[in-house]
């Protein structure tokens, strides 16, 4: 018998776009005396298990932070292992994504990634581009500052070429130069493993995202945890700097 969630989610008011900082894989592993890479493997499984659950909760897209522009500072064997795992997952899950209607996207300086990752991503993105059930946007070699720098360079190039004036650089123009301007800003930003920081994730796009931090380590983050985060989100009043009457939600 399917277990009923403790609190109901209002499907009409689910966050459309959830961003998630999948943190705590290393701690999950070391608490069990396992190698850190085993934590990363379990973390990948946790993400896979959440995808369709999220779609059932009316979530339309998930941007998942898999590897930051700063994570290259980790020991070479962990970085190598992560890159191998990412390439492997992208390869073996292509069939699953096609079958289940998952559309894959990627954010980051992808051209700097090892060739097997880059090429497998290209194939996945191409072969799932017509899927509509849920979007999985994987952030790899992603840094929020780099994304803004890349956008600023484009704008500067246009100014230098005389195509626009500096005054024409505004919120809308810079937004259009981000890696995926077609994705709306995240409604909800989840961070697992308790750290109260954004670690260079989606700095531009999370200006008004609701934050949810849980002590649960990423490999343990399951559908019940996702429901908890959505219920918390649905209890918030989003103001976007304006005045909103008490009692009216969103
Ligand atoms: C998050 O888990 C995954 C990546 C950053 C690749 P961590 O590896 O950061 O896990 P902790 O923070 O050491 O527990
Ligand atoms: C953020 O986690 C990056 C990812 C989850 C991919 P980190 O573990 O790298 O962040 P810090 O170092 O604790 O800020
Ligand atoms: Mg960490």
């Amino acid at each position: 018998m399917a277990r009923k969630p403790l609190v109901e989610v209002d499907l009409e008011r689910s966050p459309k776009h959830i961003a998630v900082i999948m943190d705590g894989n290393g701690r999950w592993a070391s608490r069990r005396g396992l190698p850190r890479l085993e934590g990363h493997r379990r973390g990948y499984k946790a993400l896979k298990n959440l995808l369709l659950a999220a779609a059932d909760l009316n979530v339309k897209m998930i941007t998942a932070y898999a590897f930051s522009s700063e994570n290259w500072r980790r020991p070479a064997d962990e970085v190598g292992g992560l890159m191998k795992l990412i390439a492997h997952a992208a390869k073996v899950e292509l069939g699953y994504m096609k079958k289940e209607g998952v559309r894959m996207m990627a954010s980051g300086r992808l051209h700097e990634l090892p060739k097997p990752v880059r090429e497998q991503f290209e194939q996945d993105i191409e072969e799932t581009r017509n899927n509509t059930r849920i979007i999985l946007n994987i952030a790899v070699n992603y840094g929020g500052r780099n994304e803004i720098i890349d956008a600023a360079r484009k704008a500067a190039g246009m100014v230098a070429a005389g195509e626009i004036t500096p005054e024409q650089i505004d919120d809308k123009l810079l937004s259009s130069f981000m890696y995926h301007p077609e994705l709306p800003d995240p409604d909800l930003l989840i961070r697992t493993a308790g750290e109260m920081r954004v670690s260079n994730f989606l700095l531009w796009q999370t200006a008004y995202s609701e934050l949810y931090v849980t002590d649960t380590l990423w490999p343990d983050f399951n559908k019940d945890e996702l429901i908890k985060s959505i219920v918390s989100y649905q209890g918030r009043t989003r103001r976007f700097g304006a005045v909103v009457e008490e009692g009216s939600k969103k």
Side-chain angles (χ1 to χ4, degrees):
M1 203 176 74
R3 211 153 37 90
K4 233 179 139 224
L6 294 176
V7 198
E8 291 292 341
V9 165
D10 176 355
L11 293 180
E12 308 250 290
R13 295 175 52 249
S14 285
K16 270 201 181 71
H17 185 179
I18 295 181
V20 51
I21 301 174
M22 308 186 288
D23 198 18
N25 295 347
R27 276 163 279 179
W28 185 94
S30 64
R31 280 176 201 175
R32 287 165 178 77
L34 297 168
R36 289 178 62 84
L37 261 176
E38 187 53 31
H40 295 313
R41 254 190 294 277
R42 292 293 293 258
Y44 138 52
K45 295 290 181 192
L47 177 62
K48 179 178 179 181
N49 290 337
L50 269 184
L51 268 184
L52 301 186
D56 289 345
L57 290 164
N58 216 12
V59 173
K60 305 294 180 197
M61 51 207 103
I62 294 181
T63 295
Y65 207 4
F67 192 92
S68 77
S69 49
E70 287 71 37
N71 287 149
W72 298 106
R73 295 175 187 159
R74 295 188 178 200
D77 59 342
E78 183 173 352
V79 169
L82 272 165
M83 286 301 147
K84 263 203 189 137
L85 177 64
I86 292 169
H88 168 80
K91 190 177 167 77
V92 301
E93 301 303 345
L94 175 56
Y96 177 80
M97 293 192 284
K98 286 168 87 163
K99 177 166 156 271
E100 299 296 349
V102 177
R103 177 173 180 185
M104 196 179 113
M105 293 186 178
S107 285
R109 287 188 173 166
L110 305 178
H111 58 277
E112 294 173 354
L113 288 169
K115 203 169 164 209
V117 178
R118 218 173 53 228
E119 289 185 346
Q120 191 58 51
F121 272 34
E122 280 165 12
Q123 188 186 352
D124 291 13
I125 291 164
E126 171 59 25
E127 292 190 22
T128 64
R129 74 194 155 89
N130 293 321
N131 290 348
T132 55
R133 189 163 173 196
I134 191 164
I135 291 171
L136 173 62
N137 181 31
I138 298 278
V140 184
N141 191 25
Y142 175 87
R145 288 189 173 181
N146 282 346
E147 185 177 24
I148 294 170
I149 290 165
D150 291 347
R153 284 180 183 161
K154 273 195 196 167
M158 288 177 78
V159 171
E163 292 162 8
I164 54 166
T165 64
E167 291 69 33
Q168 284 175 284
I169 300 174
D170 58 8
D171 182 327
K172 200 168 153 230
L173 187 82
L174 278 188
S175 291
S176 78
F177 292 157
M178 296 296 151
Y179 297 140
H180 280 297
E182 73 279 29
L183 301 184
D185 289 346
D187 303 292
L188 174 62
L189 170 63
I190 297 172
R191 182 166 188 148
T192 57
E195 240 69 71
M196 302 269 189
R197 54 177 174 258
V198 292
S199 303
N200 203 12
F201 193 38
L202 301 176
L203 299 181
W204 179 268
Q205 296 88 343
T206 54
Y208 273 102
S209 303
E210 294 296 326
L211 309 181
Y212 180 86
V213 176
T214 172
D215 285 335
T216 301
L217 305 176
W218 178 252
D220 294 326
F221 193 88
N222 57 19
K223 184 175 183 178
D224 285 350
E225 298 283 333
L226 180 66
I227 288 173
K228 267 194 239 169
S229 73
I230 294 178
V231 168
S232 168
Y233 167 84
Q234 291 184 337
R236 320 272 183 91
T237 303
R238 301 185 78 185
R239 279 190 284 275
F240 299 98
V243 177
V244 174
E245 294 300 319
E246 278 296 308
S248 68
K249 295 269 165 66
K250 279 177 90 177

